[in-house]
Amino acid sequence: MKKLLLTGLLSGLLATSVSAKEANDPYIWLEEVEGKKALEWVEEVNEVSLGYLQSKPLYKELYETSLDILNSDDRIPYVTEMNGYFYNFWRDEKHVRGVWRRTTLEEYKKDEPKWEVILDVDALAEKEDENWVYKGSNCLYPDYQRCLISLSRGGADATVIREFNIESKSFIKDGFQLPEAKSNLSWIDENTVFVGTDFGADSLTDSGYPRVVKLWKRGQKLEDAAAVFAGNQSDVAVQAFVTRDKEDTYKFVYQGLDFYTAEIYLFTEDGLTKLDRPKDSTFRGINNGQLLIELKSDWSIDDKTYQQASVLSIGIDDYLAGKKNFTEVLVPDERTAISGISSTKDYLLVNLLKDVSSELHRYWYTDGEWHHKKVDLPEFGTLSVAGTSDKHNNFFVNYTSFLTPSTFSYFDEKTEKFSELKSLPAFFDAEPYKVEQHFVEAKDGVKVPYFIVMRKDIEHNSKNPTLLYGYGGFEVSLRPSYSALIGKNWLEQGGVYVLANIRGGGEYGPDWHQAALKDNRHVAFNDFISVAEDLIKRKITSEEHLGIHGGSNGGLLVGAVATMRPDLFGAVVCQVPLLDMKRFNKLLAGASWMGEYGNPDNEDEWNYIKTYSPYHNIHEEEDYPKIFFTTSTRDDRVHPGHARKMVAKMQAMGHDVLYYENTEGGHGGAANNEQSAKLYALIHTYLADQLK
């Protein structure tokens, strides 16, 4: 349930009624996603903006460069292991929608492995005359022959789900399948699944997620499936899932009370047993008989207080018997955060961030204690465990940094060594550049880190075109990574790139995130402004040469700071943004985010939300930079009405803005490589034009 705003549970339907006060919004008609009048407006505004940007000589060069990178066969084909096969989803010039394929480890180690295509999404789309976008598979343990394939029309989060047979490479005619909805389907065994979907009236939460979970047997009509659990209308979502620990299987029901709190129940033949844990803690599964919990706040039990951000374990049998004899697996210090936890047959793999640089540790439980050893890997970059199996202790690791192309390595437990299997080529020459990490003191005295990628011979003359990127929400950590598009389209064009690790993210654990929640939202905005001012103070850049970029919650970030400090920026890229914070909870998945922002229908909470809501803080007399807004008609996560209405309102006030709405693409803004190349060519053309 992580990273929900960029990558997790999403949904909802446009509210069909509005209050009289909201109806006074003259641009509310733009919330009708596919309304004739709204789409005509989109076409008209798109035409003006595209005509302007695509007429720039740089656009064609950037588009062709971006498409070459995105379609390159030199990209790393990342894999996941299932029953001895290694699966990958791949898009390129020949496979625009992509192919799902597999190979063996022996083949994968070769420079040009032989791939067996399991599903050709382009062929399926042509056969069925649908613009299918592959959204992933869920395959049945342990042989993984039956899979639940999710397909989206045009990239939306809502998917059609169909059961698929790996060996026959075909959909099962009478198998499990669901019509288009934002559904949860989880295997129990070959003939039984947990299902949460749109069952009809009252089956969805206010956020548009499934409210009801049922146990569905093969051959049974969906309406006849037995209900397992029903949540409240105000819940974010309810779903059921299965977790395994060697030979043991456990079934759980997750009831998301809001974005950050949940109840979790163990489901057995005897019914449901609620897990006794803080509602804001994260359930990290079961490993070697030990149930794992990650704390988001301090937890006091008797005379013992377990520290926020700690990971605790307890024997599953003891836990279910009511005991509280927890063991501390690890307790991060104030400069350290847990970035991820995964497991192999006998180990926990814990990815840590120390001042936003990665470390990987291997933990194991013996004789009532946890032991650990740091895995020997490069420092000052970003590590991620990219694939594990519960049948052995080998695993894949990806390493990257701003100037180091990703390398994909395989750890072999027998040799205790890594072998590099694949590496990304250098799409741009990194030699002229350097990376620095700085810490700026925020208004309240907290040190906020940020990275600068720039030429080694940079002149501190305040004239360097600089792009500052941020997010600052939902405990999402921004980490150093290699971007060929930024390297080619921005650094090689003479630009400086800056990544801000502001509060609201997860770079230093739960406390770093919680510092910018709800009525403290301005903390994230002010941190971002502090980084911008520090860049100017260092004479890296100046107001006229400084651009900012953010998407989704990051779109809210740049939208807010652009209205707070329009004098500070020469360009703003506001991508798939939230902007109307009065109505965000009524549009699509917005109700689920009230745990982050607050409830605008509550007067006390609206009183602080309205102080930064970009849509409510535009002024006719203010001088704004020429902001570039981008969104997608098919974004069923953050409603395109946010960007549409903001543009219409600013234009009516006489402000010069640019707007591009892709009619496909979902929340990512693009459904294929051509659309992605176009989007980023537009963005970097705009930045070069505004910040030169």
Side-chain angles (χ1 to χ4, degrees), residues 384-577:
S384 55
V385 176
T388 62
S389 171
D390 65 352
K391 296 183 179 181
H392 53 71
N393 292 314
N394 304 337
F395 57 92
F396 291 96
V397 165
N398 192 69
Y399 173 81
T400 185
S401 70
F402 287 113
L403 300 178
T404 306
S406 294
T407 56
F408 197 47
S409 301
Y410 191 63
F411 179 82
D412 189 325
E413 184 190 25
K414 292 180 181 178
T415 63
E416 288 277 326
K417 292 181 179 180
F418 282 93
S419 57
E420 183 179 311
L421 299 184
K422 307 290 179 184
S423 62
L424 196 67
F427 283 103
F428 66 95
D429 182 8
E431 197 282 328
Y433 305 102
K434 63 180 179 179
V435 178
E436 293 180 357
Q437 185 182 36
H438 295 281
F439 293 81
V440 62
E441 186 171 310
K443 289 186 175 182
D444 57 0
V446 172
K447 300 289 187 181
V448 177
Y450 66 92
F451 293 96
I452 310 178
V453 187
M454 56 190 166
R455 290 189 64 86
K456 294 174 182 176
D457 60 356
I458 188 171
E459 294 185 31
H460 291 256
N461 58 10
S462 303
K463 295 180 180 180
N464 299 288
T466 299
L467 177 59
L468 170 60
Y469 187 87
Y471 188 77
F474 294 88
E475 206 174 345
V476 173
S477 302
L478 298 185
R479 300 183 291 169
S481 63
Y482 185 84
S483 170
L485 293 179
I486 290 174
K488 294 294 292 185
N489 294 348
W490 187 243
L491 296 178
E492 285 193 356
Q493 301 297 325
V496 173
Y497 182 73
V498 182
L499 187 71
N501 302 114
I502 61 177
R503 281 172 287 181
E507 286 85 351
Y508 291 108
D511 189 53
W512 195 253
H513 166 235
Q514 293 165 12
L517 276 179
K518 294 188 175 181
D519 57 343
N520 291 320
R521 201 74 200 169
H522 278 278
V523 168
F525 306 144
N526 288 330
D527 282 359
F528 197 67
I529 289 170
S530 294
V531 173
E533 291 175 333
D534 201 50
L535 293 169
I536 293 170
K537 181 180 177 182
R538 292 176 183 275
K539 295 188 177 181
I540 296 290
T541 191
S542 60
E543 291 86 348
E544 63 182 307
H545 298 295
L546 176 58
I548 55 177
H549 181 194
S552 194
N553 173 75
L556 169 62
L557 167 69
V558 298
V561 298
T563 55
M564 292 166 62
R565 289 291 308 276
D567 61 303
L568 197 54
F569 311 107
V572 179
V573 179
C574 190
Q575 194 170 355
V576 290

